[in-house]
Amino acid sequence: MSEIFKGIDKIRYEGPQSKNPFAFKFFDAEKIVLGKPMKEHLPFAMAWWHNLGAAGTDMFGRDTADKSFGAPKGTMEHAKAKVDAGFEFMQKLGIEYFCFHDVDLVPEADDMNVTNARLNEISDYILLKMKETGIKCLWGTANMFSNPRYMNGAGSTDSAEVYCFAAAQIKKALDLTVKFGGRGYVFWGGREGYETLLNTDMKFEQENIARLMRMAVDYGRKIGFTGDFYIEPKPKEPMKHQYDFDAATAIGFLRQYGLDKDFKMNIEANHATLAGHTFEHELRVSAINGMLGSIDANQGDMLLGWDTDEFPFNVYDATLCMYEVLKAGGLTGGFNFDAKNRRPSNTYQDMFEGFILGMDTFALGLMKAAALIEDGRLDAFVKEKYSGFDSPIGKKITSGGATLEELAAYAAELKDAEPPHSGKQERLEAILNSILFG
Ligand code: XLS
Ligand code: NI
Ligand code: NI
């Protein structure tokens, strides 16, 4: 097999002063941060669909990039060329994981049995490459949103037959995930939502989605899948309203249907902002509920209202993300770059530079978040902020032993409460800046 990305060698760490576009400035895999090498804090993954598939087609124009990798598109030869390209790419960047949808791997046939036979063939080939290189699978998923049969939903469809096809795809994608030893299995419900309530039985649809997830858990556990199932929340796009709106909504859904022991969240930065939240908000909500699983590391554009899937370069966001991750004790999953080059960035070099940018941004975020924790001023402020609850009356409240009557009597005795404490937001933001740029 010949080299595909000719002229690009293994990407190495050269340090912040380097002007070499094909070197890491901040990601230094073996560098120890808070007692662990960077690469263990940051298990990066390549998204098969964007990196090996997306070639620039948008609503207004065709491909701008050549992702044929020397083979005609829509053939098994091309599917194999993508495997070769993907593994060469990951090896050159030192990326240890990949994520995939079933239909990212092979061209989908009209007959599902043919698609499945193709999946068997390609997964044998991928497995070989995995053994050869030591590269692992972060998570797998089934694409239940592109095929027109899912226009009314997959788990939320109005057709029992379509529902069976969704089940069949999940079954196969789980087989593949287990075959690859994947750490997780993702549900992203792109078509699980509605356009108008006038034609929608929301309760019926949500119950059916839960049944499908339950069947997936039962089957997965039966075939030896020990990893986590993930919901990847997103409020909208392609549907006007998607049921897994945000982490809080998805967690409530999982608890309602008894799925919370098997599922965690896969939080995507750009989905958080579409939901009107910050990335760190979604991470905190997941973490305090014990459900922070994995991350789709990308970045949106606040001037645009859709999922632009950009490579992350915003160091503030990456720092605040890594602050949440470190405080939560790390991820059980990893950092999947669910990101693609901008349409005019259409060369092989751009593919590498996108990942270098993203990996360096998260490496910076990790180091800055570690510095914030070591500095301790933010933690100390938050601790002090609630210290009024260390008083006898405060302890009575937090231990759950207080009654309304008692507290009302206490307030009546005081006549007036102490003056409210300053939130000191500006001081804390200044600390953040001094750690980032000091
Ligand atoms: C789309 C989602 C998708 C999932 C996997 O917005 O981010 O790419 O990560 O189906
Ligand atoms: Ni995603
Ligand atoms: Ni997305």
Side-chain angles (χ1 to χ4, degrees), residues 194-212:
Y194 63 85
E195 296 295 324
T196 171
L197 281 178
L198 296 177
N199 66 10
T200 304
D201 184 337
M202 189 191 280
K203 186 162 189 285
F204 180 84
E205 293 195 357
Q206 294 203 357
E207 285 172 355
N208 263 357
I209 294 171
R211 286 185 194 105
L212 195 56

Side-chain angles (χ1 to χ4, degrees), residues 226-245:
T226 54
D228 289 319
F229 288 85
Y230 301 124
I231 283 185
E232 184 179 323
K234 185 177 183 182
K236 59 187 172 191
E237 195 209 358
M239 299 302 273
K240 175 175 150 185
H241 181 99
Q242 279 161 212
Y243 292 134
D244 300 325
F245 190 93

Side-chain angles (χ1 to χ4, degrees), residues 42-109:
L42 298 168
F44 288 127
M46 178 195 78
W48 211 269
W49 53 103
H50 282 316
N51 202 45
L52 306 173
T57 289
D58 69 10
M59 254 124 69
F60 301 96
R62 293 189 296 274
D63 285 359
T64 53
D66 177 10
K67 294 214 175 159
S68 63
F69 306 118
K73 281 196 169 178
T75 63
M76 280 303 280
E77 195 193 337
H78 181 237
K80 285 200 175 139
K82 279 166 67 177
V83 178
D84 294 338
F87 278 84
E88 184 187 321
F89 187 86
M90 289 185 277
Q91 274 192 296
K92 285 186 168 170
L93 277 156
I95 289 183
E96 294 184 352
Y97 294 89
F98 65 89
C99 298
F100 71 97
H101 300 83
D102 45 2
V103 301
D104 301 335
L105 303 182
V106 294
E108 201 180 357

